[in-house]
Amino acid sequence: MANLWDHTEPVRPGVLQYLSVGCTTRCNLACTYCSKEGVARRDLDPELLLSNIRSAREKGLEKVELTGGEPLCYPWFSRVVEELVDLGLVVLIVSNGTLLDRPMAKTLAGLGVGVSISLSTLDPARYDRMARTTGGLAKVQGAIAALREAGYSRDAMPVLAVQTLASRETLEELGALREWAKEHGCGFI
């Protein structure tokens, strides 16, 4: 199975096939590389979001990726995801994983939603320093385990991937992260 985040579908000129939507600026972390610190908390109006996606679907839209901030902080997350799935779209989310528990993993798996977990280090202290949190890496690893238990894999829907941001601080970990993702049944982005 091709990596759904690679955007390798055949191009159809004039057709919006893929859409990435930052549905909220809310996030439960304050990562040094991504923080929306100082940015007003804003959420896309769910009616506006769904109306635009319905229109795009009529014109050929096939895949929607929900990002943030943290999409699980979006107040209408469940409703919007269910409606996107009902439209017959491939739905993906990019999450930091710290809010993703077993019940949510089962729900997302049941809907066939692809999940990409942001993970740029396997060092607990470095993770906490970068995300400005405590115990964050263990939560992310727990989320990945919950997703795997719910039926996620790197090779079939529902698909699971680890998404890594390479920086000077984490560059030397790329090989280890790729291997860790493979060992834990995750694709690697």
Side-chain angles (χ1 to χ4, degrees), residues 9-18 56 58-62:
E9 297 86 355
V11 174
R12 295 192 337 253
V15 176
L16 175 64
Q17 295 170 263
Y18 170 79
E58 291 171 8
K59 294 176 173 77
L61 182 66
E62 298 168 355

Side-chain angles (χ1 to χ4, degrees), residues 23-24 44 46-47 49-50 54 66 70-87 91 93 99-101 103-113:
C23 57
T24 184
L44 282 179
E47 301 309 324
L49 171 63
L50 290 167
R54 281 187 207 102
L66 296 177
E70 169 55 45
L72 294 175
C73 291
Y74 182 53
W76 303 280
F77 176 79
S78 294
R79 175 184 157 215
V80 166
V81 167
E82 288 172 11
E83 291 195 37
L84 296 177
V85 169
D86 287 346
L87 288 171
V91 180
I93 67 166
L99 300 175
L100 214 156
D101 57 15
M104 179 58 74
K106 287 180 183 176
T107 297
L108 292 173
L111 292 169
V113 174

